[in-house]
Amino acid sequence: MKALLRRKSVRTYTGVPVTDDQRAQLLKAAYASPVAMGQYDSIVMTVVEKPELLAQIDAAAAKQFGREKMLYGAPMLIVLATKLKGDASDNSGYSNAATVIENLNLAAVELGLGACHIWGAIAALAEDDALKQALKIPEGFTPVGGLVVGDSADAYTKRDIPDNRIATEILD
Ligand SMILES: Cc1cc2nc3c(=O)[nH]c(=O)nc-3n(C[C@H](O)[C@H](O)[C@H](O)COP(=O)(O)O)c2cc1C
């Protein structure tokens, strides 16, 4: 609950790289994630830290959305890709990615690293075959979500989360 109530989307980064130890902790959190029917081979994760690759993703996103810096200058982007069939079963692929991303996000909070769930730039990446290849995303996998992570001056403090933020029906 401590990490949950402090988590927020962080969109400013100092540029200080994520350490190897922090990266190992993040990956541990991802591997602890549940995945539909235990099919861990149905998703792949790509940790992007190379500045030139981050810049290329930023450029692809800027081209598609007409907005600069959609990765906010973060030193790390973790991309989740899944196999999509174009039918209702894709739900689990999207959910798997989101579940892993939330595990990563909460781990980032506990490590004192800023993080923000990213969909926009990933949608641009998904349409760029050359960039997908540069990221070594296997054939047949589509990037569906990601998380930027990095050192930030934006501190986490306990938030007041409105009780009615999500419409809720309690049938008791
Ligand atoms: C599926 C998903 C996609 C998101 N995509 C983006 C994104 O592309 N860029 C961004 O800045 N924030 C993105 N966000 C962050 C949301 O805007 C943010 O979580 C929401 O406004 C609530 O604010 P909070 O995270 O600070 O509580 C995304 C969040 C989710 C769950």
Side-chain angles (χ1 to χ4, degrees):
M1 288 307 283
K2 194 174 170 201
L4 274 168
L5 294 178
R6 283 168 176 74
R7 188 214 59 80
K8 63 179 175 180
S9 294
V10 172
R11 298 186 176 92
T12 56
Y13 294 90
T14 62
V16 173
V18 173
T19 67
D20 288 353
D21 186 51
Q22 288 168 332
R23 183 174 65 200
Q25 296 287 332
L26 290 167
L27 294 184
K28 200 170 187 173
Y31 302 146
S33 175
V35 157
M37 292 189 289
Q39 291 175 342
Y40 287 88
D41 59 355
S42 69
I43 48 173
V44 293
M45 189 162 57
T46 310
V47 182
V48 189
E49 294 179 88
K50 281 197 166 80
E52 60 271 26
L53 287 175
L54 292 168
Q56 283 177 44
I57 298 167
D58 240 343
K63 198 171 151 200
Q64 177 150 334
F65 294 99
R67 248 183 68 203
E68 299 289 316
K69 285 207 145 227
M70 290 182 73
L71 301 179
Y72 306 111
M76 174 186 277
L77 169 69
I78 304 176
V79 179
L80 273 299
T82 185
K83 283 183 181 165
L84 295 175
K85 291 188 189 153
D87 61 28
S89 70
D90 287 346
N91 244 347
S92 59
Y94 290 118
S95 296
N96 289 337
T99 307
V100 172
I101 291 167
E102 188 62 5
N103 265 27
L104 285 163
N105 201 342
L106 291 172
V109 175
E110 185 161 308
L111 290 166
L113 293 168
C116 183
H117 198 124
I118 296 291
W119 178 81
I122 302 296
L125 167 63
E127 291 188 6
D128 189 325
D129 287 338
L131 201 44
K132 276 193 284 183
Q133 254 181 18
L135 263 61
K136 300 185 181 171
I137 293 172
E139 192 69 33
F141 283 79
T142 304
V144 292
L147 187 80
V148 286
V149 187
D151 181 62
S152 175
D154 191 356
Y156 291 114
T157 52
K158 191 161 181 285
R159 302 171 81 190
D160 272 330
I161 308 289
D163 278 344
N164 58 353
R165 214 180 188 191
I166 297 175
T168 309
E169 189 81 57
I170 298 174
L171 307 171
D172 59 1

